[in-house]
């Protein structure tokens, strides 16, 4: 996939990313707004990884590292470009980032109902961890 460019997002990319997620990501998050993504990029530069093809956004992944855990969010690929290695390239970049930062294990947020994503994550070597549950509490409205 030589025509694919993988790079970290900058502040100038955020509106494009937010629009992309509306058409390419499954589900929404409480943080899917400009201020949420600005905080991510400011706090953890390099965490929001983009895949571009011909100057257009083709995919994203958030590879957040808090010094303890490696968290993967928002793996999204343009629906018209799926099954072309974009997701795999994004995950490889995320995993390389984690290793550079000293991470030991990646974990991914994957919607239970998103069977297509389950296949992609399994193909990348990830598996559900059934003995853990995600517990959440919204801190704002």
């Amino acid at each position: 996939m030589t025509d694919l460019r993988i790079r970290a997002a900058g502040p100038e990319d955020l509106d494009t990313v937010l629009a992309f997620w509306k058409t390419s990501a499954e589900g929404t998050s409480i943080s899917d707004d400009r201020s949420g993504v600005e905080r991510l990029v400011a706090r953890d530069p390099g965490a929001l990884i983009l895949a571009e093809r011909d100057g257009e956004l083709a995919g994203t992944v958030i590879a957040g590292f808090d010094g303890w855990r490696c968290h993967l969010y928002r793996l999204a690929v343009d629906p018209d470009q799926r099954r072309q290695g974009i997701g795999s390239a994004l995950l490889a970049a995320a995993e390389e980032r984690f290793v550079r930062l000293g991470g030991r294990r990646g974990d991914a947020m994957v919607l239970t109902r998103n069977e297509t994503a389950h296949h992609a994550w399994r193909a990348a070597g990830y598996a559900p961890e059934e003995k853990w549950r995600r517990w959440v509490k919204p801190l704002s409205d």
Side-chain angles (χ1 to χ4, degrees), residues 14 16 19 34 36 49 53 56 68 80 111 114 121 135 141:
L14 303 187
T16 301
R34 174 109 186 158
I49 302 170
R53 180 178 278 156
E56 297 293 322
W68 181 260
D80 294 332
L111 288 171
N114 191 345
W121 284 102
W135 293 38
D141 294 329

Side-chain angles (χ1 to χ4, degrees), residues 72-85:
L72 294 158
Y73 311 91
R74 281 290 182 239
L75 177 62
V77 175
D78 178 327
D80 294 332
Q81 299 187 60
R82 291 183 181 158
R83 303 195 54 78
Q84 297 178 30

Side-chain angles (χ1 to χ4, degrees), residues 10-34:
E12 68 281 1
D13 298 306
L14 303 187
D15 291 329
T16 301
V17 168
L18 287 164
F20 179 81
W21 286 344
K22 287 180 181 177
T23 61
S24 300
E26 180 73 21
T28 58
S29 167
I30 195 169
S31 301
D32 284 358
D33 58 28
R34 174 109 186 158

Side-chain angles (χ1 to χ4, degrees), residues 55-127:
E56 297 293 322
L57 188 56
T60 67
V61 70
I62 296 173
F65 183 63
D66 60 13
W68 181 260
R69 306 277 172 151
C70 305
H71 301 285
L72 294 158
Y73 311 91
R74 281 290 182 239
L75 177 62
V77 175
D78 178 327
D80 294 332
Q81 299 187 60
R82 291 183 181 158
R83 303 195 54 78
Q84 297 178 30
I86 295 169
S88 296
L90 284 164
L91 286 177
E95 292 166 0
E96 289 168 13
R97 177 175 198 265
F98 291 152
V99 169
R100 277 194 317 273
L101 294 172
R104 297 179 182 177
R105 177 184 66 200
D107 67 60
M109 296 291 299
V110 183
L111 288 171
T112 304
R113 71 175 187 264
N114 191 345
E115 291 293 328
T116 301
H118 297 185
H119 296 294
W121 284 102
R122 279 191 179 91
Y126 291 79

